[in-house]
Amino acid sequence: MADDASGPDMKDLKRRMEGAIDSLKTEFSGLRTGRASANLLDNVNVNAYGSMMPMNQVGTVNVPEPRMLSVQVWDQSLVGAVEKAIRDSGLGVNPVTDGQNVRVPLPALTEERRVELTKIAGKYAEQARIAVRNVRRDGMESLKKADGISEDEQKRLADEVQKLTDSMIKEVDASLETKEQEIMQV
């Protein structure tokens, strides 16, 4: 009950808002830009040993060339499953098997695909903004329920929560702008 007397836990609110931004950055790492990134396959799951496993748990992802990814599959029996997972991932790539290695050539992005990717990035950013605002709402509700604090102190804490929210939203917007520039680079 100590929290009720002092209002919202600012460290907890900040941690939760930063979690939304970390999640956004993870989502962004899976979006294709003009050059290869090992993170591109982070969100691809492989049907292995009867369950879905992240790509990095069945092989090593490397970037041997600017427009090529390579997955060194650890278990020969999973090569087909890795190739299928990559093909079905919606990334618009066509993997090629070479022994225990799956090569993934990345075609140049068309203008249409770049615009589509910026829209997807915008959706991810909006989800992060909503998550940050939900944390803000929780903080404000906690403040309203708090007992034994003056109106001035309530106002000060509300302003602090709002400032934190504003700075986190700015960070989301800056991340989105950076990602959009990466995607639109030719």
Side-chain angles (χ1 to χ4, degrees), residues 17-164:
M17 287 182 185
E18 286 172 343
I21 289 172
D22 290 345
S23 177
L24 173 68
K25 289 179 180 174
T26 301
E27 295 279 2
F28 278 174
S29 71
L31 277 182
R32 241 185 93 196
T33 59
R35 58 187 179 277
S37 163
N39 296 340
L40 186 60
L41 300 178
D42 281 355
N43 296 331
V44 177
N45 290 314
V46 180
N47 189 350
Y49 311 115
S51 66
M52 298 307 282
M53 299 176 77
M55 184 67 65
N56 62 10
Q57 290 185 9
V58 296
T60 306
V61 180
N62 293 307
V63 184
E65 302 170 28
R67 292 200 178 222
M68 174 80 69
L69 289 175
S70 165
V71 181
Q72 180 66 45
V73 184
W74 299 323
D75 183 344
Q76 177 74 43
S77 68
L78 295 177
V79 171
V82 167
E83 184 179 353
K84 181 179 180 350
I86 294 169
R87 186 168 282 120
D88 297 345
S89 67
L91 292 171
V93 294
N94 195 12
V96 178
T97 302
D98 180 15
Q100 270 187 249
N101 204 25
V102 177
R103 287 182 291 124
V104 186
L106 300 176
L109 291 173
T110 63
E111 188 64 28
E112 183 179 310
R113 181 69 176 142
R114 288 176 193 275
V115 170
E116 190 179 310
L117 287 171
T118 57
K119 286 180 184 173
I120 292 169
K123 286 179 186 172
Y124 289 160
E126 186 54 31
Q127 289 169 349
R129 284 187 208 103
I130 290 168
V132 167
R133 287 187 201 116
N134 286 342
V135 173
R136 175 194 173 278
R137 185 196 64 222
D138 292 349
M140 292 302 198
E141 284 176 7
S142 158
L143 193 55
K144 286 177 188 167
K145 291 177 188 170
D147 296 327
I149 51 177
S150 68
E151 259 184 63
D152 288 346
E153 183 66 5
Q154 258 189 334
K155 173 97 175 87
R156 187 190 67 74
L157 286 170
D159 287 347
E160 212 174 299
V161 170
Q162 188 58 50
K163 281 181 189 165
L164 179 62

